[in-house]
Amino acid sequence: MQFLKKHFKQLGTLVTIIALFFVIWKMISMDIDYRAFATPQAICILLISILLQAMIFCYMTFPWLHLVQIFSGKKISGKQALPIYTKANLMKYIPGNVFQYVARNQLAAESQVSHVDVALATIVDIGMSMMAPFLISIILMRHHIMTLLSAYRYTFLMVFCVILMLFCLIFILLRLKFWKQVKQYCSKYRRLLQRKTLFQLLVTFSLYLLQSLFSIVLYALPFLGFLDIPSEKMPQFLGAYLFSWIIGFITPGSPGGIGVREAVMMLICSSFMDDSVIMSYVIMMRFISICADVVAFSFGVAYKKLCHIKA
């Protein structure tokens, strides 16, 4: 076990280095005129935005950790989960868009819980992470949401068909090879249907809603110093950006939602904003997000070392 744990950590270090390489490459390849951020006001807003986004990334550890605790039935310290989550979050820049989820299973090895529990928590985390901003974007955009749903109905249909096919294939595989183990896990997770557990899941979902509200505050910050938008259009704009994240996330072959977010924003906001302003906003938010990923990762590393020193 110690042998496997040692090499698992070595592999994790290697993947982290690769992720940092892709982060640097992303920063270099982005078409950003950094001179636009040279004013004291712009620098201040950028630093606040990066810090806020990094705090949001750290906060997102705890809804996911709460799900792991629900499925495993064990108490797990946030001290263990935070460094793992922030490191895994950085791995989303590695092509394939799966490493950030696989890396979370390091928590199973370190806290002696089942890998299935952590994987299931991650799957539910993905679902709640999309459902919460979707609900808030509906409230913000109101009737404009129908325009987006109509424009991207084929994307939703394709994603639904792919998910359905995956479920069918997984079910057939489990039925043929692992049916005995499936029965054991079904017996284990039957308690999730209890009223107490359903209430815990509802409380966890409220944490994802809170995270989306924090994100709205973050998305509004650039308008204090960079961009101008009619105040009555602000909810529509913020709702469109939330929705663009969902579309970018589920669109196949679009790493990080590149190109998709811009298309969604232009579809909804081009009637009251220039396309160049929309593009500038999206690129700036990408810059803030990448920097915040690195800051959150650095905080996780520093926090882990501090915990070791205190121990």
Side-chain angles (χ1 to χ4, degrees):
M1 183 63 69
Q2 284 296 115
F3 176 81
L4 290 175
K5 191 172 182 181
K6 175 184 175 182
H7 287 278
F8 188 80
K9 286 185 177 180
Q10 291 174 343
L11 180 61
T13 302
L14 177 61
V15 174
T16 304
I17 293 171
I18 295 173
L20 286 170
F21 167 78
F22 279 104
V23 168
I24 295 170
W25 176 257
K26 184 109 175 166
M27 293 287 289
I28 295 172
S29 60
M30 287 178 69
D31 184 20
I32 297 178
D33 182 8
Y34 292 98
R35 291 173 297 181
F37 306 144
T39 65
Q41 183 184 16
I43 292 172
C44 182
I45 292 174
L46 269 179
L47 291 175
I48 293 173
S49 298
I50 291 169
L51 182 60
L52 178 59
Q53 180 69 86
M55 291 172 64
I56 290 173
F57 285 145
C58 293
Y59 166 84
M60 288 164 62
T61 302
F62 298 98
W64 169 69
L65 177 60
H66 196 203
L67 288 172
V68 175
Q69 291 175 335
I70 290 173
F71 292 130
S72 66
K74 295 182 179 179
K75 289 290 184 181
I76 303 170
S77 172
K79 295 178 181 179
Q80 283 183 293
L82 181 61
I84 293 172
Y85 188 93
T86 52
K87 183 171 74 172
N89 182 61
L90 195 69
M91 295 178 189
K92 64 188 176 186
Y93 295 101
I94 300 176
N97 204 31
V98 294
F99 286 95
Q100 69 268 35
Y101 303 120
V102 175
R104 294 186 192 181
N105 270 56
Q106 183 182 346
L107 183 66
E110 293 191 2
S111 58
Q112 304 301 313
V113 299
S114 168
H115 283 272
V116 176
D117 293 334
V118 177
L120 185 58
T122 297
I123 292 172
V124 176
D125 170 78
I126 294 171
M128 289 188 174
S129 293
M130 289 192 292
M131 182 59 67
F134 179 71
L135 292 176
I136 292 179
S137 64
I138 290 176
I139 295 172
L140 291 173
M141 288 195 292
R142 290 168 292 185
H143 62 279
H144 295 285
I145 194 70
M146 297 308 300
T147 303
L148 282 175
L149 291 176
S150 176
Y152 289 93
R153 61 186 182 276
Y154 295 115
T155 299
F156 282 109
L157 180 61
M158 179 174 61
V159 170
F160 174 78
C161 291
V162 169
I163 292 174
L164 184 61
M165 288 174 60
L166 284 174
F167 270 114
C168 290
L169 289 173
I170 291 171
F171 178 79
I172 292 171
L173 178 64
L174 293 176
R175 187 69 179 86
L176 294 175
K177 296 289 186 180
F178 307 103
W179 196 241
K180 184 178 180 180
Q181 293 90 327
V182 169
K183 286 184 177 180
Q184 292 175 349
Y185 279 111
C186 287
S187 177
K188 175 184 176 181
Y189 292 126
R190 192 176 299 163
R191 60 182 174 78
L192 297 178
L193 299 177
Q194 296 175 358
R195 184 178 300 178
K196 179 181 178 181
T197 308
L198 292 174
F199 178 74
Q200 290 176 329
L201 290 171
L202 185 62
V203 170
T204 305
F205 182 67
S206 69
L207 298 179
Y208 288 94
L209 289 172
L210 187 60
Q211 181 260 320
S212 295
L213 293 176
F214 289 152
S215 296
I216 289 174
V217 174
L218 169 70
Y219 299 154
L221 279 179
F223 295 101
L224 298 177
F226 294 107
L227 308 172
D228 187 26
I229 184 175
S231 57
E232 67 275 9
K233 296 293 185 180
M234 181 71 79
Q236 182 180 334
F237 182 88
L238 296 175
Y241 192 77
L242 272 176
F243 194 84
S244 72
W245 177 87
I246 301 170
I247 297 296
F249 183 84
I250 67 174
T251 301
S254 175
I258 295 173
V260 178
R261 291 188 184 182
E262 291 84 343
V264 173
M265 297 296 291
M266 289 178 184
L267 178 66
I268 293 297
C269 305
S270 58
S271 61
F272 58 88
M273 288 185 74
D274 292 336
D275 289 350
S276 60
V277 176
I278 295 173
M279 289 293 293
S280 298
Y281 177 83
V282 174
I283 291 173
M284 181 174 56
M285 292 309 299
R286 289 189 186 280
F287 173 78
I288 290 171
S289 179
I290 293 170
C291 292
D293 282 326
V294 176
V295 171
F297 166 73
S298 302
F299 178 79
V301 172
Y303 183 71
K304 186 175 182 179
K305 289 184 177 179
L306 182 62
C307 290
H308 281 312
I309 292 172
K310 286 185 177 181

